[in-house]
Amino acid sequence: MFARTSGREVRAPDLAALQPTLILDALIGYGLTTSPRGVVETMIDWANACDAPTVSLDLPSGANATTGTTPGAVIRPAVTLTLALPKTGLAVVPTGVLFLADLGIPPQVYKEAIGVPIRSPFGRRFWVRLRPLPLKRA
């Protein structure tokens, strides 16, 4: 799908020459275990220095999904589109405007997998804006 857009893939050393209109953050996702390093840290720092808004998928790269702690560089998004269920760490880390996206997971799956009955907030929509949550200090 990306090939059908006007976007293009660039290498980290070439980032400084870019002037994007939108940045899509999907660098780390749910599996953060240590502070971002190397190319990922460089890309986070670059995105935060750009004037273009950043949209984070699931949660801002550099943030722990469960605790919201940020052991190093972290994306400062204008918008976060979290997937399936809000992550607990989103109550702590700045997310910008926060949306929840429907992945089509039946409510019965949540009940069987994690023992939590879920009532879908989506109706006929694919995403909903979550009410603003007060930020807690990590």
Side-chain angles (χ1 to χ4, degrees):
M1 294 303 284
F2 182 72
R4 295 181 189 167
T5 72
S6 62
R8 62 187 172 102
E9 186 176 333
V10 295
R11 296 170 12 110
D14 302 327
L15 290 173
L18 298 179
Q19 295 180 346
T21 56
L22 179 70
I23 299 168
L24 182 61
D25 163 36
L27 293 169
I28 299 172
Y30 194 85
L32 180 76
T33 56
T34 64
S35 63
R37 295 188 183 105
V39 172
V40 172
E41 181 181 28
T42 298
M43 294 174 83
I44 289 172
D45 291 341
W46 169 81
N48 287 337
C50 284
D51 290 333
T54 298
V55 176
S56 289
L57 292 182
D58 212 19
L59 73 155
S61 289
N64 180 289
T66 303
T67 66
T69 56
T70 56
V74 62
I75 288 283
R76 294 186 307 268
V79 173
T80 299
L81 180 65
T82 195
L83 309 172
L85 290 174
K87 307 335 174 242
T88 55
L90 294 173
V92 178
V93 67
T95 61
V97 180
L98 182 60
F99 293 92
L100 175 64
D102 183 9
L103 294 179
I105 300 170
Q108 186 63 25
V109 172
Y110 293 112
K111 187 173 181 183
E112 291 173 8
I114 59 176
V116 176
I118 300 290
R119 186 172 152 230
S120 174
F122 299 107
R124 301 179 100 168
R125 300 168 293 181
F126 295 105
W127 56 271
V128 293
R129 183 173 178 170
L130 298 178
R131 66 180 163 78
L133 299 172
L135 294 179
K136 301 174 189 173
R137 296 201 183 257

